[in-house]
Amino acid sequence: LQAVHDRRASPPVAGAMRDDVVRTLTIEGELRQGLDNDEFEPFFQPIVDLDTGEIAGFEALARWRKPDRGLIPPIEFIGVAEQTGLIREIDAVVLASAWKSLASAQEAVAGKKGRSTKPLFLSINIAAENFVDMQLVANVRKLLGTAGFDPSLLKLEITESGLINSPEIAYRVLTELRSLGVSIALDDFGTGYSSLSYLHRFPIDSLKIDRTFVNALASSDRSRAIVRTIVGLGQSMSLKVIAEGIEEESTADMLREMGLQYGQGYHYSMPVGRASMQQMLLGGGLGGS
Ligand code: C2E
Ligand code: MG
Ligand code: MG
Ligand code: MG
């Protein structure tokens, strides 16, 4: 590749490409080290029942707590993690850690109130790279084996790209996961190419409407039509529909009127660390302290 490139491109471009390679290799090394040192942790964003305003569950979102740099968001490391396959390990760490944190937060709340509250679901992002073998199924099965885990409270968020490359294996993985009682959500719905064929072929039970459509609800007739169509699709196929990126009360109102059940976004809460998540639950929910 380098040879071909050298013949065709001018030196500055080749230089830029080399810089990219160096950068990728650097991040890869740091990612490995970060995994060894346990530097990855989930943040938690509440998913709200739009009718009651109560927290129904949380989406876990990876953060890299790097000693020399502080808290790093996914946009800065997910790409390289995917290219190198390290995302599989990160996803496994986030899954196990998020489950443990949510379970212990709920235990703390039950201890304080003297009774258990409505169990919350946990949504986890699963990268396409996990759909090449059965390792994910083994990880989930192991987690479910730990005491008190109700599989119906675990939701795995996948994107179409996870299904495109090797649909046969993806189908087997999803079918196995469903047989364990876990549910599957299609993330960023509406931004891919052929969502309907995936809904038809794969055992999917929830749709997450991408925030680009949700954000534009008030200003764009087209976005409103798209969201309304997705909600209708969900209703007629008995799929749960969740809106992401709700930033305004007026957007939540419109979604509720359209019959949408669940939503998440900065209007309710940004993703927060484990301690704040537990505080949120102890305080009785979103406006609590
Ligand atoms: P996603 O799964 O679609 O997650 C939603 C993203 O939107 C999150 O960004 C969240 O913080 C952000 N968000 C939530 N509400 C709002 C809002 O009201 N306005 C705006 N502008 N943004 C909002 P985050 O945490 O930076 O994650 C970005 C993406 O990185 C995720 O998109 C997901 O694709 C990926 N990701 C995050 N954690 C993991 C992980 O553990 N594993 C894998 N494979 N991917 C992950
Ligand atoms: Mg997601
Ligand atoms: Mg999403
Ligand atoms: Mg998204």
Side-chain angles (χ1 to χ4, degrees), residues 59-61 123-125 157 187-188 208 244 264:
E59 177 174 3
L61 294 153
S123 227
I124 295 279
N125 294 285
E157 300 190 2
D187 205 351
D188 305 334
K208 296 196 74 171
E244 54 178 36
Q264 66 190 99

Side-chain angles (χ1 to χ4, degrees), residues 45 59-63 73-75 78 82 87 90-91 94 124-127 130 157 159 187-188 208 210-211 215 244-247 264-267 269 271:
Q45 186 177 41
E59 177 174 3
L61 294 153
R63 298 291 182 267
I75 188 158
I78 293 276
E82 286 173 349
I87 191 68
I90 294 173
D91 285 353
V94 169
I124 295 279
N125 294 285
I126 299 294
N130 290 287
E157 300 190 2
T159 57
D187 205 351
D188 305 334
K208 296 196 74 171
D210 193 72
R211 71 164 187 265
N215 268 322
E244 54 178 36
I246 302 175
E247 295 184 355
Q264 66 190 99
Y266 295 168
H267 169 60
S269 170

Side-chain angles (χ1 to χ4, degrees), residues 11-33:
V13 173
M17 191 173 155
R18 193 176 53 238
D19 288 349
D20 269 2
V21 172
V22 170
R23 192 177 152 268
T24 301
L25 286 174
T26 307
I27 298 179
E28 179 181 359
E30 291 177 340
L31 281 172
R32 283 186 199 283
Q33 204 183 348

Side-chain angles (χ1 to χ4, degrees), residues 162-181:
L163 307 175
I164 285 171
N165 294 333
S166 37
E168 289 82 14
I169 300 179
Y171 181 82
R172 273 176 54 213
V173 172
L174 291 183
T175 307
E176 289 275 324
L177 289 168
R178 282 298 297 274
S179 75
L180 297 174

